[in-house]
Amino acid sequence: MTTTDAPSLEQVLASDISATAFRLYVGLALRTQGEWVSIPRLVGHCNLGPYQARKPLAELQEAGLIEKNRRYERDEVTGHRTNRTYYRLPNDTSEASV
């Protein structure tokens, strides 16, 4: 995965993203310290449901405003292996645990 320069606030405001996508972007900017954040944690910050966030997160990724990382992990509850998706703002190089 390559990192890109973080967009300026003017670029984010000028982008053609939905209000929900902007809400998720602000949630990432204000509530995370550059670490990869799971969808449940991110939507919890923004008072949204996971399904409400799917299209806006794809919108943010397509606009280059966030980065996406899919990991194949073992579920702590069931023990089954599953894909987990994490997001962060571009140009954050920390690999903090989620």
Side-chain angles (χ1 to χ4, degrees):
M1 171 178 293
T2 60
T3 57
T4 58
D5 292 331
S8 68
L9 182 58
E10 289 79 21
Q11 290 172 313
V12 174
L13 290 171
S15 65
D16 189 25
I17 60 172
S18 66
T20 304
F22 183 75
R23 186 174 174 182
L24 288 165
Y25 180 85
V26 171
L28 274 171
L30 295 177
R31 300 275 177 115
T32 65
Q33 286 72 45
E35 73 268 16
W36 290 101
V37 180
S38 66
I39 292 174
R41 183 172 163 213
L42 177 58
V43 298
H45 291 316
C46 298
N47 198 27
L48 295 169
Y51 292 102
Q52 291 175 297
R54 288 183 183 210
K55 286 180 80 173
L57 285 169
E59 190 179 334
L60 288 168
Q61 186 184 6
E62 186 176 306
L65 300 175
I66 62 173
E67 294 178 330
K68 177 181 175 179
N69 183 356
R70 292 199 67 175
R71 301 177 191 167
Y72 196 58
E73 300 176 342
R74 187 166 302 280
D75 187 279
E76 295 173 5
V77 177
T78 65
H80 295 108
R81 292 178 57 90
T82 186
N83 284 313
R84 301 257 188 237
T85 306
Y86 298 91
Y87 293 91
R88 72 175 178 184
L89 297 178
N91 206 26
D92 289 330
T93 57
S94 66
E95 291 298 326
S97 62
V98 287

